[in-house]
Amino acid sequence: MIVLVTGATGFVGRHLVQRLDEEGHDVYSLVRSQKKFNQCQLPGQAIIGDLSPHSIDTILPQLPEGPKTIIHTAGIVHSHHKKDFAAINFQGTKNLAQALKKKYDQLHFIFLSSLAAAGPETQRGIHLGPVSSYGYSKLQAENFLQEWAPPNWQLSILRPPMVIGPKDQAMLDVFKMVQKGKVPVCGQAGKHSLYNFICVFDLVEIIINCLDKPLGKTPYFTASDEVVSFTELTNTMAKTMGLKRPLLLPVPRTLLKLATVLIGLAARVFPLNIRLTPDKYHEIIQNKWTCDGGPISEALSYSYNWTLEKTIKVTVQDYQSTNSI
């Protein structure tokens, strides 16, 4: 099958492209840099471009005739500028879909959204809706695809929660704090915050299973049924690295919010590579990022294979192999 992957040099994209190639698919990757594509040692063919209208118009002639599926993983999770989320996650998705319509009458569009589009859960299992600009931009993209997709197109919309696995730079920050023995948490309740997660390898297998089983317009959560607290997460990291349990340091919400505001102001003047942003504050203060991954498991007849302990172990091994920790 001919498959076009966006965001192929990203965390999920790199694993996905490798597996698609192993499965014998003809893989094309939309990437912004040939150099980064080469550095990642990705198989298949690179198509250089981005999600801006001008760029997409120039890459249309480079796309193969008759691709069966596009897997849209490109997007941003962290930014100090709220407008970036709408511009890339929503408008970028819209630009891509509208451009592809010019070339393909039939297409399976698999969109990698996020649990953030549904928001955190209440104790009654009700999702509150997006609490961040990131989450809202993902929901906007979902809504656009659901309302706009041509009749001959098929959709699959996936909402993963926290994704853990080798090559993830975001989770690396947490591992480094655990390694130092001290991890800040949001308020006294932060250590008890609950999370679903999915190993990147399970997520990739779910995406591959979707190739021949389009899910339709209804978004599906992709989450292991294992719910963990932040304490359990950091303790598992420490145990795997052969360390003592880290000290979780409660940070008052007001102080945390002030820190994000100051970081946001500084980011207007200086280029900062700090993931603690004003937008992320609204996600950090939530205590229940959980969801039900059962429906997609039933729809695809897929069983999650990666436990937290197994996932953390292979992730630590990868970080250690690159001297990241």
Side-chain angles (χ1 to χ4, degrees):
M1 181 184 296
I2 299 175
V3 183
L4 172 65
V5 178
T6 70
T9 59
F11 168 41
V12 175
R14 292 171 68 176
H15 290 283
L16 177 60
V17 169
Q18 293 285 358
R19 279 293 293 128
L20 287 167
D21 182 68
E22 290 171 6
E23 290 289 309
H25 296 288
D26 191 4
V27 186
Y28 289 76
S29 297
L30 176 60
V31 295
R32 290 178 294 175
S33 166
Q34 181 72 53
K35 181 179 179 181
K36 183 70 176 292
F37 180 85
N38 294 341
Q39 288 175 340
C40 293
Q41 298 181 326
L42 296 177
Q45 181 173 324
I47 298 176
I48 310 304
D50 56 43
L51 300 180
S52 64
H54 172 72
S55 180
I56 290 178
D57 284 342
T58 63
I59 66 174
L60 277 181
Q62 303 178 54
L63 297 178
E65 293 297 331
K68 299 297 183 181
T69 302
I70 174 170
I71 307 174
H72 182 35
T73 76
I76 59 169
V77 179
H78 303 88
S79 177
H80 292 282
H81 310 288
K82 288 186 177 181
K83 63 181 182 180
D84 291 345
F85 295 111
I88 297 174
N89 294 344
F90 166 53
Q91 190 62 48
T93 301
K94 183 177 179 179
N95 294 340
L96 176 65
Q98 290 179 333
L100 291 174
K101 184 182 178 183
K102 299 176 184 177
K103 192 174 181 74
Y104 305 117
D105 292 329
Q106 295 184 338
L107 191 69
H108 181 191
F109 196 112
I110 300 178
F111 177 52
L112 193 65
S113 184
S114 169
L115 170 58
E121 260 192 322
T122 66
Q123 295 302 321
R124 297 183 178 181
I126 300 172
H127 288 277
L128 297 175
V131 295
S132 63
S133 296
Y134 165 69
Y136 184 64
S137 68
K138 285 293 191 177
L139 182 61
Q140 281 183 299
E142 288 183 10
N143 290 340
F144 167 75
L145 291 172
Q146 290 167 330
E147 296 169 4
W148 176 88
N152 291 336
W153 281 25
Q154 296 173 312
L155 284 181
S156 295
I157 300 174
L158 308 179
R159 288 176 168 177
M162 173 173 57
V163 184
I164 307 175
K167 300 180 175 62
D168 179 23
Q169 294 302 305
M171 192 58 67
L172 176 59
D173 292 343
V174 182
F175 277 92
K176 287 182 176 180
M177 288 186 286
V178 170
Q179 191 175 43
K180 293 178 180 178
K182 296 179 181 179
V183 182
V185 296
C186 182
Q188 292 293 337
K191 64 181 68 176
H192 304 298
S193 295
L194 298 177
Y195 300 89
N196 276 110
F197 77 96
I198 186 168
C199 176
V200 68
F201 299 127
D202 271 329
L203 179 57
V204 164
E205 293 305 318
I206 285 174
I207 294 173
I208 289 176
N209 272 264
C210 283
L211 293 178
D212 297 318
K213 298 180 181 179
L215 297 170
K217 294 183 177 182
T218 301
Y220 280 80
F221 296 113
T222 60
S224 163
D225 59 6
E226 191 175 355
V227 177
V228 299
S229 69
F230 190 75
T231 298
E232 291 170 328
L233 175 63
T234 55
N235 285 348
T236 302
M237 291 177 176
K239 179 181 177 181
T240 304
M241 290 188 285
L243 304 172
K244 294 181 179 180
R245 293 181 177 183
L247 180 62
L248 302 185
L249 303 175
V251 178
R253 283 191 181 187
T254 52
L255 184 58
L256 181 63
K257 185 172 184 179
L258 176 61
T260 62
V261 170
L262 294 176
I263 291 171
L265 291 174
R268 297 180 181 180
V269 183
F270 308 102
L272 297 179
N273 186 24
I274 300 176
R275 291 184 173 85
L276 180 61
T277 66
D279 192 62
K280 281 301 163 189
Y281 166 79
H282 299 291
E283 296 181 359
I284 293 171
I285 63 175
Q286 307 299 324
N287 294 320
K288 201 166 187 283
W289 284 103
T290 53
C291 58
D292 183 6
I296 196 170
S297 180
E298 295 177 5
L300 299 177
S301 300
Y302 182 80
S303 298
Y304 297 95
N305 297 309
W306 288 81
T307 64
L308 179 65
E309 185 174 354
K310 185 179 176 183
T311 300
I312 295 297
K313 181 177 180 180
V314 72
T315 303
V316 167
Q317 290 172 343
D318 176 71
Y319 289 152
Q320 291 175 337
S321 71
T322 57
N323 295 318
S324 298
I325 56 174

